[in-house]
Every structure is written in structure tokens, then in C-alpha cells.
Amino acid sequence: MRLQVLGCGDAFGSGGRFHTCFHVAASDASHTGAFLIDCGASALIAIRRFGVAPNRIRTVFLTHLHGDHFGGLPWLVLDGQLVSGRTDPLTVAGPPGTAERLPAAMEVLFPGSSTAKRRFAVDVVEMEAGRPVEIEGARATAFTMRHPSGAPAHALRIEAAGKVVSYTGDTEWVEEIVAVGRGADLMIAEGYTLERPVPFHLDWATLKRRLPEIGPKRLMLTHMSPEMIAHPPDGYIAAEDGLVVAL
């Protein structure tokens, strides 16, 4: 398994980075069962830049319904319909409210697009915290986080091909983060600031204090503010657009 960072920026493009999007696939050569974790507004641009085959993305797992985490879905769907000739179904697994918010976003951006005839299905699975779902060989469990977004905000723990990748999404510290990342092959965590508290976001100092309890094999920080981007990594992988990590 390999994970490629397609986007690791915050909502405001700090450092010129794309919005949040992680691509997970079986290997460099095979994208069978490939999935995305979040699909921010700039995701299709990043997909093109880094040479990812959009039609081989079978599932998109969403942490929450802010534009920098799910706003790229209308473009991904329309690309499959109008450009890439998609025929395989696309599954979108997100928090409660996804089935309503996705067509609403499509109608705002491209009126009529949510009901247009396609050669592929877009299947929406709404995930409840604590109830695992299995999609295309991946088992995903959602955990409740604290980040208002008009719908529940989740962290995700995803098991695929014998590996575990976990992602906090955007959140301030909550105790569930320990279970999200415990022993994961790769834990991806928001590291918005170094120490400065920001409501509903996670700072590195708080996470670092709790790392011994979590014990991930590797840790990657993402969604960083300018102060964190400028901070030399200390015990973590600093996410960068295009970075590839073997799982």
C-alpha cells in the first residue's frame, strides 16, 4: 500500500498548498481499490498534477463537510461524466448529511449537474461514529471530533491490505483521538499551530504530550498554518503536496 499526499493545505492555502486530499492505493503500478481520504476543492487539479487516474478511485472517505475537505467532489463526478468516461461506480462515504450536501454543492456550482444522466452510479454511504463500514476491501471506522461544519465531524481509522491509516480530520483535542491513532501504521493528524490554541483545531504541543498513549508507528502532520510550515519537524513527518509514504 502507498499513500500520496495530493493536498495538505489549510482552508486558506497557506504555503501555496492544495486543499486536503490523500490517495491510497495498492502499489505504484496498481490502483485497484484505490480510495481518497477527503476531497478538498482543489483535489481534481492535484489529481491531474500528480498523475493519478481518477477513474481508478473507487471510494472517497470524508471526515467532514467543509469545502476544503469535500468541495472537490462535484468536479470529480463531472470529470467522470464529461472528460474521463467513467463507468465504474463511485462510493462517497461521509458523515450524516453527506447525501443532502453533495447534490446541494453540485447545484450551487453547476446547476442541473446533480440530476444529470451518467454512465456510473454515485453511491453515498453515511457513516455513524463507532459503526465500521466495509467498502471495496477497506474497513473504515468513524470517531466523533469537535469541529462545527453543519454536520458531524469525524476522524477516520481505515484498515486495508493489512495496514491501518488514521486521520483526525480537523478538530480540537478530544479523547477519541487516542483510539483513532493507536498503533496505526500511519497516523495523519492536524497540526494547525505549534502551541497557540485555536478553537476547533489541534496544536502540536497538545498532540505531542499524548503521543505515548497513542503509539502510532509513524505520524504525519497536515493542515498546517504558516507558523507550523516554518517549524522544523520534530518527531513527525511534515506533509507536503506530492509526498509518497509506503504503508
Side-chain angles (χ1 to χ4, degrees):
M1 296 291 286
R2 71 192 288 271
L3 179 144
Q4 184 170 26
V5 179
L6 301 185
C8 60
D10 60 13
F12 311 107
S14 294
R17 299 173 173 205
F18 292 126
H19 288 148
T20 300
C21 187
F22 305 99
H23 178 258
V24 183
S27 69
D28 288 334
S30 171
H31 294 270
T32 303
F35 59 86
L36 299 181
I37 304 173
D38 280 348
C39 186
S42 59
L44 187 61
I45 303 170
I47 284 170
R48 294 279 190 251
R49 176 167 294 183
F50 297 116
V52 172
N55 286 353
R56 291 182 177 174
I57 297 167
R58 303 299 298 267
T59 309
V60 180
F61 293 100
L62 300 174
T63 59
H64 65 287
L65 302 182
H66 276 155
D68 58 320
H69 290 259
F70 99 109
L73 279 172
W75 280 275
L76 183 63
V77 171
L78 285 172
D79 173 79
Q81 176 184 342
L82 302 173
V83 179
S84 296
R86 186 182 188 104
T87 56
D88 291 330
L90 175 68
T91 301
V92 177
T98 301
E100 179 180 357
R101 293 274 289 277
L102 175 55
M106 294 190 71
E107 287 304 310
V108 167
L109 295 169
F110 300 98
S113 65
S114 69
T115 56
K117 186 176 180 180
R118 307 185 194 98
R119 287 176 292 174
F120 63 97
V122 178
D123 301 318
V124 176
V125 176
E126 295 194 340
M127 298 180 65
E128 298 284 350
R131 295 184 179 180
V133 299
E134 295 193 20
I135 304 170
E136 294 286 341
R139 175 184 168 92
T141 305
F143 297 76
T144 301
M145 297 291 107
R146 191 172 297 143
H147 187 75
S149 55
H154 288 161
L156 296 173
R157 184 180 175 93
I158 302 175
E159 303 170 46
K163 301 293 183 179
V164 175
V165 58
S166 66
Y167 176 41
T168 65
D170 292 357
T171 183
E172 62 187 58
W173 176 264
V174 296
E175 289 299 314
E176 286 85 352
I177 290 174
V178 176
V180 170
R182 181 171 284 135
D185 292 281
L186 177 67
M187 179 183 183
I188 306 169
E190 182 185 29
Y192 193 61
T193 59
L194 187 58
E195 296 180 341
R196 175 172 55 92
V198 175
F200 311 120
H201 289 279
L202 188 59
D203 64 89
W204 168 230
T206 298
L207 178 62
K208 187 176 182 179
R209 285 196 298 270
R210 304 299 297 269
L211 274 179
E213 300 170 63
I214 304 172
K217 294 177 183 176
R218 285 179 292 176
L219 173 69
M220 177 188 291
L221 294 192
T222 188
H223 206 271
M224 294 183 282
S225 65
E227 71 174 87
M228 277 300 295
I229 292 172
H231 180 70
D234 175 21
Y236 60 85
I237 301 166
E240 296 182 13
D241 291 356
L243 178 67
V244 174
V245 177
L247 298 175

